[in-house]
Amino acid sequence: MALPALREELDLLPGPTLADGQPSWTLHDPARNLFFRIDWPTFEVMQRWGLDDEEAIAHDISRSTTLQMSAEDVRAVIEFLNHNQAIKPDGLSARQMADRMGDKQGGWLKWLLHHYLFFRVPLIRPDAWLNRWSGVAAFFFTSGFAWLTAAALAWGLSNVVRQWDRFMAELVDLFNWEGLLIYGLALFGVKLLHELGHAFTAKRYGCRVPAMGVAFLVMWPMAYTDTNDAWRLTQRAQRLKVASAGIITELAIAAWSTLAWALLPDGALRSACFVLATTSWISTLLINASPFLRFDGYFILSDALDMPNLHSRSFELARWKLRQWLFNLGEEPPEFFSPGAQRALVLFAWLTWIYRLVVFVGIALLVYHFFFKLLGIVLFIVEIAWFIAWPIRSEIQQWWKRRAVIAVRMRSALSLLLIAGLMGTLMVPWPGRVSASAMLRPAESWPVFSPSGALVSELPFSEGQQVATGALLVRLHVPDLALKRASLQARIDAQQWQAASSGLDSEWQKRMLVSQETLQTLRTEMTGLQTEQLQFAPRAPYSGQLRDLHPDLQVGQWLSGKEKIATLVREGTPWVVETWLDEEAVQRLRVGDRAVFMRDSGQGPVLELTVSSVDRDASRLLPRKELAAPAGGHVLIRERKGVLIPERAIYRVLYSIDDLPPTLTGAQWRGTVVTQVQAQAPAWRYLRNAAAVMVREFGF
């Protein structure tokens, strides 16, 4: 069978030695500016293309080289060249060429999706301009410039250390509209220099740079430089320099910008240098240096390992390994590596998949929020389908093709049982429990505290004593109030004496009305003062038992303002356990559910409880500071002016105690309440939240 003709304009260039020691060649398609690395067997087949017969080519290669090839191997090479359009289209009709191109592009919908997700807009053809300026750019490749940059970085950092407070203050000042504008302009400039770094480095090693422009990744613009010609380079070090030139350029810019920030006066230029010295290059390194997307870090790693197409090769290896784990198919790996290299490539593939999952979901959410709701939903679905669902579908298709082999493998049955067990664990309802910090307290109690700084002058009762209604609980002495009362009483006595003597003097009779008004005012002040003093002599509003009285509290001791003295527990009041739970926990609770309570101290009996009430409305504040996370509780709060505000919606839950022990002392105890709640499938929580989000977001 005659072989199709190869395209005459293709270039075959020498390539680097591969990892297994065999030589390689680079096939260049100048029409599309694409490069393909071919191995030794492919090269030998292309050398003998003139034999025009698959069997003859295979026989000649096996006879004249150490390679042993068959006609099937030759057909695989022909298929590779045909798939990558290295074959002349002679003999094909326009309709056949259109069908082949359509098959390759996958239809208009696939073309539209691909060009929405990623497309390039070439803006300039810089090759001639780069040739003219290469002499000037050569200075930046010298060792002298490298040493100057290192010195500038050291000098700049030393100034930053000396002006650290000012440096941090300027970082805060950057977050405003003017700062964001400066950041945008500086970022545009550094990205342009980044791409010029790639371009001049490629030109330095004799490569052609046909285009520079803007690439759009999910409508997000990024500068790009076409350095595909670097595939011509046979030395790995040269390709590595071309790939890393952009990052090295930005590091050099950051070094000189740090020095410029330290030397320049205040102004827009100094702010721009600050941006270049801090946020711009850090964010650029975080993105460009990542090997998980096809940015600079990926090509640097590929060249450092001398492993072209690192992503696709590691992905194929990881998929093969996954099939081995799940089904033990016994297939040969797509490539042979040492055990250590194989494990590293499989791990790299899994890390890349996880990284891309996070990034693409984040991009999908950004796309959703950037567009109006309906279009945002459509684009979100496109993102998830293309980047996540489509690769999973492709792998499942591979499993389906191997279904006959998979069905008879023992490993397949074990994997199926494991998956079924995992799904059962997630989907079958399991008995659950909710644990939270809680307070054990009497249902009705009255706190006794000092309204302000005062001296204890009388303490009639001790801890645990019974108190009758109206009994004095404590008497506090406030010297300022006592002095104020004595002064006020003296003024009242003086006014009363003046009023009694007004009949003896005509002049005093004229002032009698004023004296009476003054006396009335003083008496009103005295009444208010007496009311205030009553707060320092609290009496029992009901009969009960005095609890939580400090054992060292004595007459003559000073108390601070708002300091708690004791708690009066009403006689016969029931005890309850009180806590606050979030919405998820409350949804699983029902009145009548059983629970237990254990004190934090570990002392005392375990109390049997029953859920008695669950509030329907969320609490805006947390009234029990003992349950706040800073105090060792479970409720996350933020404090604002002494008020505890929950971070999430919380609901008050009360528990009744089945059998209160008679030896219970104290007014309240903190502990842990564990409630047996309704059985629930572990996955139900996430499904419910996802459904709630879908209902909310799809509502128009």
Side-chain angles (χ1 to χ4, degrees), residues 481 484-489 492 496 518-536:
L481 290 180
K484 186 176 180 180
R485 178 171 182 172
S487 174
L488 194 58
Q489 186 62 50
I492 291 174
Q496 288 177 340
T518 302
L519 180 61
Q520 184 63 32
T521 301
L522 293 175
R523 285 173 176 170
T524 302
E525 290 184 20
M526 177 61 77
T527 301
L529 184 60
Q530 290 172 344
T531 302
E532 184 177 358
Q533 283 187 317
L534 288 177
Q535 298 178 10
F536 294 89

Side-chain angles (χ1 to χ4, degrees), residues 26 134 157 217 229 260 305 314 321 337 351 431 444 446 467 527 586 603 675 683:
T26 301
S134 291
L157 290 177
L217 177 63
D229 215 44
L305 299 176
S314 64
K321 194 66 176 178
F337 297 96
L351 291 176
E444 191 171 356
W446 191 66
V467 177
T527 301
V586 165
Q603 299 177 354
T675 310

Side-chain angles (χ1 to χ4, degrees), residues 255-578:
W256 287 100
S257 298
T258 303
L259 178 60
W261 176 85
L263 300 179
L264 288 173
D266 291 336
L269 183 59
R270 189 172 193 267
S271 297
C273 290
F274 176 82
V275 170
L276 297 179
T278 53
T279 55
S280 65
W281 71 270
I282 293 175
S283 61
T284 300
L285 285 180
L286 289 176
I287 297 174
N288 282 333
S290 170
F292 303 122
L293 294 173
R294 293 180 67 86
F295 295 138
D296 291 350
Y298 166 72
F299 295 104
I300 292 172
L301 182 61
S302 296
D303 289 324
L305 299 176
D306 196 19
M307 189 175 293
N309 303 316
L310 175 60
H311 277 166
S312 58
R313 294 166 70 181
S314 64
F315 293 169
E316 282 296 326
L317 193 63
R319 285 192 285 265
W320 166 81
K321 194 66 176 178
L322 177 63
R323 295 166 198 156
Q324 290 298 107
W325 286 337
L326 293 177
F327 312 121
N328 193 23
L329 298 179
E331 296 178 346
E332 294 291 335
E335 291 186 74
F336 289 94
F337 297 96
S338 66
Q342 185 183 94
R343 287 192 294 270
L345 287 171
V346 170
L347 177 61
F348 174 75
W350 278 99
L351 291 176
T352 302
W353 288 338
I354 295 171
Y355 179 87
R356 288 186 175 187
L357 176 64
V358 175
V359 170
F360 292 151
V361 169
I363 291 175
L365 292 173
L366 287 176
V367 168
Y368 168 74
H369 288 291
F370 280 161
F371 296 92
F372 62 88
K373 198 163 192 179
L374 180 59
L375 180 59
I377 291 173
V378 172
L379 296 181
F380 177 85
I381 294 174
V382 169
E383 294 283 314
I384 298 300
W386 181 268
F387 289 122
I388 299 173
W390 192 271
I392 295 175
R393 171 184 173 274
S394 299
E395 180 59 22
I396 293 176
Q397 285 179 337
Q398 294 298 320
W399 295 359
W400 181 251
K401 291 178 181 179
R402 297 166 171 82
R403 60 187 181 277
V405 180
I406 291 175
V408 299
R409 295 287 181 177
M410 181 63 69
R411 180 73 62 82
S412 303
L414 294 176
S415 298
L416 182 61
L417 288 175
L418 180 62
I419 294 173
L422 179 60
M423 294 299 294
T425 302
L426 294 177
M427 302 305 296
V428 173
W430 289 82
R433 62 181 187 177
V434 173
S435 179
S437 57
M439 296 299 299
L440 171 64
R441 64 171 184 82
E444 191 171 356
S445 61
W446 191 66
V448 183
F449 61 91
S450 173
S452 63
L455 181 71
V456 179
S457 60
E458 189 176 345
L459 197 62
F461 300 99
S462 58
E463 170 69 19
Q465 279 192 301
Q466 289 295 126
V467 177
T469 303
L472 179 68
L473 300 176
V474 64
R475 189 182 299 279
L476 303 175
H477 174 67
V478 183
D480 290 345
L481 290 180
L483 291 174
K484 186 176 180 180
R485 178 171 182 172
S487 174
L488 194 58
Q489 186 62 50
R491 292 172 61 190
I492 291 174
D493 292 342
Q495 288 295 328
Q496 288 177 340
W497 179 82
Q498 288 181 4
S501 305
S502 59
L504 303 177
D505 191 317
S506 59
E507 190 67 27
W508 282 8
Q509 287 180 355
K510 295 178 182 179
R511 292 184 296 182
M512 183 177 63
L513 184 59
V514 175
S515 297
Q516 288 177 346
E517 290 179 355
T518 302
L519 180 61
Q520 184 63 32
T521 301
L522 293 175
R523 285 173 176 170
T524 302
E525 290 184 20
M526 177 61 77
T527 301
L529 184 60
Q530 290 172 344
T531 302
E532 184 177 358
Q533 283 187 317
L534 288 177
Q535 298 178 10
F536 294 89
R539 295 181 178 274
Y542 44 71
S543 61
Q545 192 177 44
L546 201 65
R547 298 284 185 88
D548 284 350
L549 183 66
H550 198 283
D552 295 332
L553 187 63
Q554 298 178 358
V555 174
Q557 184 174 339
W558 280 94
L559 300 176
S560 59
K562 304 298 181 182
E563 183 174 350
K564 187 176 179 181
I565 299 173
T567 300
L568 180 64
V569 177
R570 186 164 191 161
E571 186 176 0
T573 186
W575 284 66
V576 296
V577 172
E578 180 183 41

Side-chain angles (χ1 to χ4, degrees), residues 6-315:
L6 293 173
R7 289 170 50 194
E8 296 175 351
E9 70 273 21
L10 297 177
D11 295 330
L12 194 59
L13 310 171
T17 302
L18 300 181
D20 58 3
Q22 66 170 308
S24 71
W25 287 261
T26 301
L27 183 65
H28 178 216
D29 182 353
R32 296 180 294 162
N33 196 34
L34 294 179
F35 294 82
F36 305 93
R37 180 168 294 176
I38 62 175
D39 57 7
W40 182 20
T42 305
F43 174 75
E44 293 293 344
V45 171
M46 294 182 70
Q47 268 196 321
R48 293 164 175 79
W49 204 264
L51 295 177
D52 209 26
D53 183 78
E54 298 170 0
E55 293 286 352
I57 292 175
H59 176 72
D60 190 64
I61 293 175
S62 300
R63 179 181 57 83
S64 58
T65 69
T66 57
L67 294 171
Q68 297 298 313
M69 296 191 68
S70 64
E72 184 68 28
D73 297 326
V74 176
R75 280 193 290 273
V77 173
I78 296 173
E79 181 61 29
F80 163 76
L81 296 173
N82 188 38
H83 179 73
N84 290 286
Q85 303 179 28
I87 304 295
K88 271 187 177 183
D90 295 344
L92 293 177
S93 66
R95 179 68 179 177
Q96 289 172 320
M97 288 293 296
D99 291 343
R100 176 178 292 184
M101 186 61 68
D103 292 339
K104 191 170 183 67
Q105 292 181 347
W108 67 270
L109 181 59
K110 186 175 180 181
W111 181 91
L112 180 62
L113 289 175
H114 177 75
H115 284 77
Y116 151 65
L117 297 170
F118 181 81
F119 64 93
R120 289 180 172 182
V121 180
L123 298 178
I124 59 173
R125 300 185 178 277
D127 201 63
W129 181 85
L130 292 171
N131 282 329
R132 289 194 298 271
W133 287 91
S134 291
V136 176
F139 167 72
F140 298 104
F141 294 93
T142 61
S143 59
F145 177 73
W147 283 109
L148 284 175
T149 303
L153 178 61
W155 189 6
L157 290 177
S158 65
N159 280 277
V160 168
V161 172
R162 288 197 296 268
Q163 305 178 58
W164 182 251
D165 292 339
R166 186 179 181 186
F167 185 85
M168 294 304 296
E170 191 156 344
L171 179 62
V172 175
D173 294 339
L174 183 65
F175 295 99
N176 53 49
W177 287 112
E178 182 181 358
L180 293 176
L181 177 61
I182 293 173
Y183 174 80
L185 294 174
L187 188 61
F188 174 80
V190 78
K191 289 303 178 186
L192 177 60
L193 294 175
H194 175 108
E195 298 305 323
L196 287 176
H198 287 301
F200 276 114
T201 306
K203 180 58 64 177
R204 179 177 176 82
Y205 295 115
C207 300
R208 190 170 67 93
V209 183
M212 294 178 68
V214 180
F216 290 85
L217 177 63
V218 196
M219 308 306 293
W220 185 263
M222 299 178 296
Y224 85 94
T225 301
D226 187 348
T227 57
N228 281 342
D229 215 44
W231 277 86
R232 292 176 175 270
L233 303 175
T234 58
Q235 296 184 27
R236 181 175 61 179
Q238 292 178 347
R239 297 195 306 273
L240 189 60
K241 289 177 182 178
V242 173
S244 59
I247 290 178
I248 292 175
T249 299
E250 293 199 31
L251 291 175
I253 292 171
W256 287 100
S257 298
T258 303
L259 178 60
W261 176 85
L263 300 179
L264 288 173
D266 291 336
L269 183 59
R270 189 172 193 267
S271 297
C273 290
F274 176 82
V275 170
L276 297 179
T278 53
T279 55
S280 65
W281 71 270
I282 293 175
S283 61
T284 300
L285 285 180
L286 289 176
I287 297 174
N288 282 333
S290 170
F292 303 122
L293 294 173
R294 293 180 67 86
F295 295 138
D296 291 350
Y298 166 72
F299 295 104
I300 292 172
L301 182 61
S302 296
D303 289 324
L305 299 176
D306 196 19
M307 189 175 293
N309 303 316
L310 175 60
H311 277 166
S312 58
R313 294 166 70 181
S314 64
F315 293 169

